[in-house]
Amino acid sequence: MSEDIQRVLAKKKAEPIRLAMCRKDLLHFARYMFEEEYETPLLESWYHTLLCKALEKVASGEVTRLIINVPPAYGKTEFAVRQFASWFLGNANKKRIIYTSYSDDLATKTPAEVKELIKSASYKKVFPDIDLGRKTADKEWYLESKGGMFSTTVG
């Protein structure tokens, strides 16, 4: 067999394991979504690992208050909202997330991006049972399971 065929077969065999890891681990999920949806590898740093572990503790209820204090453009919104919210709702599809932002633009744009991730074919591979419900406005939308996301501004 040629190397190309062997590589394709190995990837096919590993895919179910990879998808199971995505369901359990936020950083694996983020890597997968970057590759599949953003068509680029995740350029991760040590703090992304720490951030994902902290967010997983929020998801499990072990941590009830979390402050993320890193400089602008270091991935706070990407990891703590886009990736975490979509991953969390995949694992806890009856839960609801409230997202607040300082600006109306972000309060509209970011939850809409989470909704688009959930609608993607890549997300469906990881969480095949998650579907959007009827209410799908950008600032407030729900899953068929009654979980969902609501966003507003602090003002």
Side-chain angles (χ1 to χ4, degrees):
M1 253 191 281
S2 74
E3 284 185 35
D4 290 339
I5 293 172
Q6 286 178 333
R7 202 173 304 124
V8 168
L9 289 174
K11 188 176 179 180
K12 286 241 183 238
K13 281 185 179 179
E15 190 70 4
I17 296 166
R18 186 177 188 205
L19 296 175
M21 288 298 296
C22 288
R23 286 187 283 276
K24 290 184 177 277
D25 185 278
L26 178 56
L27 188 55
H28 275 84
F29 176 77
R31 286 181 191 134
Y32 179 79
M33 295 306 284
F34 264 74
E35 289 173 17
E36 297 294 319
E37 286 304 307
Y38 302 156
E39 297 177 351
T40 185
L42 172 62
L43 300 175
E44 60 188 90
S45 187
W46 60 270
Y47 61 87
H48 291 130
T49 303
L50 293 176
L51 179 56
C52 287
K53 291 300 171 198
L55 289 166
E56 287 171 0
K57 288 180 179 182
V58 169
S60 72
E62 186 179 339
V63 170
T64 57
R65 294 171 188 246
L66 178 66
I67 295 174
I68 301 168
N69 192 10
V70 294
Y74 274 65
K76 288 184 300 290
T77 302
E78 184 62 47
F79 280 89
V81 185
R82 289 182 201 99
Q83 298 300 320
F84 176 70
S86 57
W87 176 82
F88 177 73
L89 289 171
N91 284 297
N93 61 9
K94 294 189 185 322
K95 299 284 185 176
R96 294 186 179 172
I97 295 171
I98 298 173
Y99 170 67
T100 57
S101 175
Y102 69 91
S103 80
D104 193 51
D105 286 345
L106 279 178
T108 302
K109 179 182 164 203
T110 307
E113 292 168 340
V114 173
K115 182 176 66 175
E116 290 304 310
L117 278 178
I118 289 174
K119 287 171 38 179
S120 74
S122 305
Y123 186 87
K124 280 297 216 187
K125 287 180 186 175
V126 179
F127 298 107
D129 298 330
I130 304 300
D131 293 307
L132 286 172
R134 288 187 181 182
K135 186 166 188 172
T136 60
D138 285 344
K139 284 187 164 186
E140 182 178 10
W141 50 265
Y142 297 97
L143 303 172
E144 283 187 357
S145 57
K146 306 298 183 219
M149 190 168 191
F150 172 77
S151 69
T152 188
T153 62
V154 292

